Amino acid sequence: MKASAFDYVRPPDLAGVLDMLRQFSGAKLIAGGQSLLPLLNLRLARPTLLIDIGRTEALRAIEDRGTHVRIGAAVTHAELEDCLIPDCPMLRTVAGGIAYRAIRNRGTVGGSLAHADPAADWPLAMAALGATVVVEGKAGHRRLPADGFMLGAFQTRLEEDELVVAVDVPKLSPDARYGYYKFCRKTGEFPEASAAAVFDPFSRTARLYLGALSGPPQPLHDLAATIARQGLAAIADVAIADAVDRVAAGDSIERRMRCAAVTRALKEVFAE
Ligand SMILES: Cc1cc2nc3c(=O)[nH]c(=O)nc-3n(C[C@H](O)[C@H](O)[C@H](O)COP(=O)(O)OP(=O)(O)OC[C@H]3O[C@@H](n4cnc5c(N)ncnc54)[C@H](O)[C@@H]3O)c2cc1C
């Protein structure tokens, strides 16, 4: 199938993008197009206007802001894969595991968060990292925790006239440990189960999330807190299964994959 007819604009700057969003209610943003283009071709999305933000300069920077790193919404997965940010090494790990290079060259962090596919990597990773999504719209500027930004499958807290402009990712201390694990049937496919863990004794952070569910990533707060107190001793199969059962229903295969994803993410945390 072919997409239905639409107009296309590439405003010169962010102010122009916001103006266009305000003026045209049938408009849709396009960043890397890796999710939107298939939806257009299947006519599951029929915008009258596409506003291209893929090259908007204000959305393309990776900046060190002291306590955190600000990643522009239109930064691609490949750019994060190629850029070693010493205080946020998990960004590179996660970026490098998304699909394959051709997708990573185009797909963007902001597009991934806004699209809110439950199996996507950034909603899970950013929740575990304690990141903040920065959005702009008619009502001005809003800062929303990544945990809770996604409301459900393909649903977020973004208003019609808002866009994601950046994500603020807190820096980790040198003693921080993280783990990220996902089960994919083959390279380049979305995962069947995924988990992310971040432990930082300096900031007293203990975050463990389960992803690839039917909705947003789910926190396993109690298990994370117990592991932060007791270390490896708290990582028992029964404790992990109990934590997974509390946040996700599923058949025995889904349950086993989810438990294994959590176990493997935690093993990465404690790897020598
Ligand atoms: C074959 C294939 C395999 C993939 N595998 C994975 C995978 O393993 N893991 C993974 O995480 N992802 C995967 N993806 C998704 C991909 O990595 C992109 O992250 C994703 O397509 C969205 O980014 P994009 O920039 O292409 O967004 P687009 O397709 O341009 O846009 C997607 C949606 O987000 C909106 N949007 C875009 N940018 C913004 C913004 N700044 N503010 C508000 N709304 C915005 C658009 O209007 C649209 O509704 C895969 C994609 C393909 C095609």
Side-chain angles (χ1 to χ4, degrees), residues 28-36 53 73 77 98-100 103 106-108 110-112 114-115 120-121 158 163-164 182 188-190:
K28 212 155 183 39
L29 299 166
I30 182 161
Q34 296 305 292
S35 295
L36 186 56
I53 56 168
H77 314 317
I98 295 176
Y100 36 89
I103 305 287
R106 296 218 171 247
T108 65
S112 173
H115 187 58
D121 290 87
L158 277 179
L163 80 155
V164 176
K182 56 180 185 171
E189 285 203 346
F190 279 100

Side-chain angles (χ1 to χ4, degrees), residues 96-161:
I98 295 176
Y100 36 89
R101 185 74 189 193
I103 305 287
R104 300 199 288 273
N105 281 337
R106 296 218 171 247
T108 65
V109 177
S112 173
L113 291 169
H115 187 58
D117 188 318
D121 290 87
W122 289 124
L124 170 66
M126 293 302 180
L129 283 163
T132 302
V133 184
V134 185
V135 311
E136 291 267 352
K138 201 157 50 187
H141 184 85
R142 292 201 294 157
R143 294 176 55 80
L144 305 169
D147 179 0
F149 178 72
M150 180 174 167
L151 295 175
F154 308 105
Q155 278 183 303
T156 68
R157 292 179 64 193
L158 277 179
E159 300 291 342
E160 282 276 297
D161 61 48

